[in-house]
Amino acid sequence: MRAMVLAAGLGTRLRPLTEERPKPAVPFGLRPLVCETLDVLHRFGIREVAINVHHLADRMAALVDPHLPPGMAARYLHEPVLLGTGGALANAAAWLTEPGEPVIVMNSDIVFAPDLKAALARHRALDAIATMVLRPDPEAPRLGAIDVDDEGRVRRLLGKPSADSAWGPLHERMFTGVHVLSPRAFADFPSEGCVIRSAYRKWIDEGAVVAGITELAPWKDLGTLAVYLEANVALAEARVHPSAHVAAGARLRHVVIGEGARVDDVALERVVVWPGATVSEDLRDAIVTPERIVRVV
């Protein structure tokens, strides 16, 4: 079984950090963020992944490959022009699909560890063309609800079609960005565009079996500077890479210090120091990269 990790976004909400690294490769703890997703896939048994790349595409492999889980191989698919989620899957179809084997799809920029075994079991039990991993969210009606019935079948997508009393009670959920896809699903993916508004829209409208499973594991999108900083500093009281040089007199509280970084005799609180960066002044609520200091307010 193979998997696709969607990683080609521009990361605009994380600028200026994403002027130096593609968003999936920004440090989270002591590794690139995408490693959170790769670890989930590896624990499930996936050993081959496709990763689509666009923004700063030439940097992804060098940043990510040294941190791949043991025995995992990554194939990077460069998109000179962004293809969208549907287009990315269509572009990778020839390599991803194997007869009789579902494909797992995950995003690269979230921290989320769903039960993929349960999702696969639901997918197979309903012989679904696709299975969506969903989560409860009170904002679902406003942000775009996925409505699932008691049997685990997705009945409505983004408010359409109109509710049918024959379905019984429906439960509003949000899509986590994790899917299980049957090989036959790939025939409906567009060459460009969104997989939800194209293939999923078609399947729901035509009455195809799309499964949904609700996952209660924590889900976090590190899409803003504030959330990115908070998620990093919550990892540990102090997390320092063995190769980092930290002055004996440095005062550290809730910090992450990356590979090869240098911290002088300073006080740091709630600070993320990227690999190769140098810190020579007291800082609080900041991200230090090799090129800049980003203060988070």
Side-chain angles (χ1 to χ4, degrees):
M1 187 181 298
R2 290 174 173 172
M4 177 88 182
V5 177
L6 298 172
L10 299 175
T12 54
R13 292 182 298 156
L14 271 187
R15 288 177 179 162
L17 301 182
T18 47
E19 293 174 10
E20 296 181 47
R21 288 185 176 215
K23 184 179 178 183
V26 299
F28 181 67
L30 301 179
R31 307 180 303 165
L33 172 57
V34 68
C35 291
E36 297 295 310
T37 294
L38 296 176
D39 279 354
V40 171
L41 293 169
H42 187 263
R43 288 194 297 270
F44 177 64
I46 297 292
R47 295 297 179 266
E48 295 181 289
V49 298
I51 302 176
N52 67 326
V53 293
H54 171 72
H55 175 60
L56 301 179
D58 58 329
R59 303 185 189 184
M60 273 289 286
L63 291 168
V64 174
D65 279 355
H67 302 278
L68 288 172
M72 178 175 277
R75 173 178 297 222
Y76 297 90
L77 304 178
H78 181 214
E79 298 178 10
V81 177
L82 278 172
L83 299 177
T85 52
L89 288 164
N91 185 51
W95 182 80
L96 279 175
T97 53
E98 303 171 284
E101 289 287 349
V103 173
I104 307 296
V105 181
M106 295 187 70
N107 288 336
S108 62
D109 56 357
I110 57 174
V111 179
F112 181 48
D115 185 345
L116 293 179
K117 290 182 179 178
L120 182 61
R122 173 68 54 83
H123 182 78
R124 286 176 167 157
L126 294 181
D127 190 25
I129 191 168
T131 296
M132 310 176 83
V133 178
L134 309 170
R135 63 185 177 89
D137 191 316
E139 292 292 295
R142 183 177 68 86
L143 298 175
I146 309 296
D147 295 297
V148 62
D149 66 17
D150 285 340
E151 296 179 353
R153 183 167 168 181
V154 175
R155 295 294 188 174
R156 303 182 73 216
L157 185 74
L158 308 179
K160 297 178 181 179
S162 300
D164 186 334
S165 60
W167 296 335
L170 297 181
H171 311 283
E172 291 179 321
R173 300 287 187 259
M174 286 291 294
F175 182 42
T176 65
V178 180
H179 338 223
V180 182
L181 300 173
S182 295
R184 67 184 189 275
F186 284 76
D188 291 324
F189 294 148
S191 58
E192 294 182 31
C194 172
V195 68
I196 300 298
R197 298 184 183 278
S198 57
Y200 274 95
R201 180 77 274 158
K202 175 178 183 291
W203 298 331
I204 297 298
D205 291 347
E206 293 180 353
V209 177
V210 175
I213 186 165
T214 300
E215 174 62 66
L216 300 179
W219 182 95
K220 187 178 289 292
D221 172 11
L222 305 191
T224 67
L225 292 170
V227 173
Y228 170 78
L229 175 63
E230 187 62 41
N232 264 285
V233 300
L235 289 172
E237 176 66 20
R239 183 170 293 194
V240 181
H241 194 279
S243 68
H245 175 78
V246 179
R251 286 85 68 206
L252 308 178
R253 187 167 185 268
H254 297 301
V255 300
V256 179
I257 301 174
E259 182 178 2
R262 181 183 180 89
V263 175
D264 294 337
D265 190 0
V266 296
L268 302 181
E269 182 176 358
R270 295 173 49 83
V271 174
V272 177
V273 184
W274 277 22
T278 297
V279 186
S280 55
E281 62 182 274
D282 294 350
L283 290 171
R284 187 179 191 281
D285 290 326
I287 303 155
V288 184
T289 79
E291 296 182 13
R292 54 178 56 85
I293 296 173
V294 179
R295 290 176 169 82
V296 180
V297 295

